[in-house]
Amino acid sequence: MRLSRLFARREDIMDDAATPTLTSGALTHVGLVRQVNEDRLLDRPDRGLWAVADGMGGHGGGDLAATRAMEALQAAADAPEITCASVRAAIDTANATIVAENARTGGQSGATIVALRIEGSSADILWAGDSRAYRIRAGRAEQISHDHSVVQDLVDAGLIAAEDAERHPRAHVVTRALGVGPAVDIAHRHVDVLPGDRFLLCSDGFSRSLPLADLAREVTRPGQTGRELLRRAVERDGSDNVSLVLVTVGG
C-alpha cells in the first residue's frame, strides 16, 4: 500500500515535569478509488496542536480549501502563544479566505475540520462537519466530536438507527463546513487528559471504515501504530481519502 503523504513521527519532551510527553504521527492515503487526495493534516506536538481537514468540491477546490485551513492553523501554531481562542480565530480566518476565493472564482469548495489542542492536563477539540476526534483511554474508545451531518441529525431525532447511518443515501451530506457561508458555527469540547491517553483525529474516510467498537479494539492492540490503523482502514473500504492523526500522551 502506497502512502500518498507521511508526516514523520515526532516527540517533544518539555522541561516542565508536569507537562506530559506528547508523541504523534500523521498519515494520509488517497484511497483505492479517488485520484486526488483532498485531505490535509497538521502535526505540531511541539506546540500541542493537531488537525485534520477534509476538502469538498473536487480537485482544485476541495484540496485548496483544506490547504487554506491548514495554512491558518499552521500560522496559529507558529504564534508566540496558542489558546483555544486563537485556534478558533484561525479556523474563522480559513473560512473567510475560502469564502472569498469561492466568490472570486465562482467555485463551491469547502472543507470539514477537526482540531485538537493539548495543554497540561486538558484538551480542547474544535470542529465543523464530520471529521472526528476520539479519545482512547483504558481500552475504551470515546467519540468526542459529534458529527454535523444530515444522517447524524436523523439519528439524534430517532428517525434512523446509528448502525444504519453509514449506509444512508445522504451519509456524505454535512450541515457545517468551512467555505459554505460568511460565518461557520465551530463546535467546541473541553476534556481532561491523563497519561496513557491516545487521541485520534480522522477524516470520514477513516471513520466509515473503522466503527467505534472496532476502533477501540484496533487502537489497543499491543504495538499498534498509525500506519497499521491506516492500512486496515484502506483495506476495509478505501472508497475515499483516508487520513488520521494519532497522539499519545506519556507520563
Side-chain angles (χ1 to χ4, degrees), residues 89-161:
I91 297 174
D92 284 332
T93 296
N95 181 71
T97 300
I98 298 166
V99 168
E101 290 183 346
N102 283 341
R104 185 174 64 254
T105 64
Q108 295 182 334
S109 64
T112 64
I113 185 76
V114 59
L116 166 68
R117 172 183 172 269
I118 296 179
E119 183 177 11
S121 60
S122 64
D124 291 291
I125 298 91
L126 300 96
W127 75 97
D130 59 358
S131 291
R132 292 183 180 179
Y134 299 90
R135 180 178 61 187
I136 299 90
R137 173 180 290 175
R140 178 176 176 269
E142 172 194 5
Q143 183 178 334
I144 299 174
S145 60
H146 192 73
D147 290 354
H148 302 134
S149 66
V150 169
V151 294
Q152 186 63 61
D153 288 347
L154 294 174
V155 171
D156 293 345
L159 299 177
I160 63 171

Side-chain angles (χ1 to χ4, degrees), residues 4-243:
S4 60
R5 185 183 297 256
L6 169 62
F7 289 75
R9 181 177 180 269
R10 304 185 194 172
E11 184 172 337
D12 282 85
I13 302 175
M14 307 300 181
D15 293 333
D16 184 356
T19 301
T21 302
L22 302 172
T23 305
S24 63
L27 292 158
T28 186
H29 192 283
V30 71
L32 304 178
V33 176
R34 300 195 175 188
Q35 300 300 310
V36 175
N37 194 337
E38 296 183 296
D39 292 351
R40 297 292 184 270
L41 312 176
L42 180 72
D43 183 20
R44 290 294 302 271
D46 57 314
R47 303 309 308 277
L49 185 62
W50 302 265
V52 172
D54 183 352
M56 309 177 299
H59 180 42
D63 50 346
L64 183 60
T67 297
R68 294 291 180 258
M70 291 302 101
E71 289 172 347
L73 286 169
Q74 184 71 57
D78 289 335
E81 182 182 14
I82 303 176
T83 65
C84 183
S86 69
V87 175
R88 182 184 293 272
I91 297 174
D92 284 332
T93 296
N95 181 71
T97 300
I98 298 166
V99 168
E101 290 183 346
N102 283 341
R104 185 174 64 254
T105 64
Q108 295 182 334
S109 64
T112 64
I113 185 76
V114 59
L116 166 68
R117 172 183 172 269
I118 296 179
E119 183 177 11
S121 60
S122 64
D124 291 291
I125 298 91
L126 300 96
W127 75 97
D130 59 358
S131 291
R132 292 183 180 179
Y134 299 90
R135 180 178 61 187
I136 299 90
R137 173 180 290 175
R140 178 176 176 269
E142 172 194 5
Q143 183 178 334
I144 299 174
S145 60
H146 192 73
D147 290 354
H148 302 134
S149 66
V150 169
V151 294
Q152 186 63 61
D153 288 347
L154 294 174
V155 171
D156 293 345
L159 299 177
I160 63 171
E163 55 269 24
D164 297 329
E166 299 298 346
R167 296 187 297 272
H168 193 278
R170 303 190 72 190
H172 296 279
V173 182
V174 297
T175 55
R176 298 187 201 177
L178 306 185
V180 174
V184 58
D185 187 3
I186 305 165
H188 170 238
R189 187 173 173 190
H190 186 80
V191 299
D192 67 312
V193 175
L194 295 176
D197 284 351
R198 303 185 89 181
F199 288 87
L200 177 74
L201 309 182
C202 63
S203 61
D204 66 328
F206 180 89
S207 58
R208 283 199 309 273
S209 302
L210 285 177
L212 190 59
D214 292 343
L215 176 64
R217 182 173 60 252
E218 294 291 348
V219 172
T220 55
R221 288 179 186 269
Q224 182 63 281
T225 65
R227 183 185 293 273
E228 181 65 13
L229 286 172
L230 187 74
R231 183 185 68 80
R232 288 180 179 273
V234 172
E235 287 180 348
R236 287 192 181 189
D237 188 332
S239 60
D240 197 356
N241 306 147
V242 181
S243 300

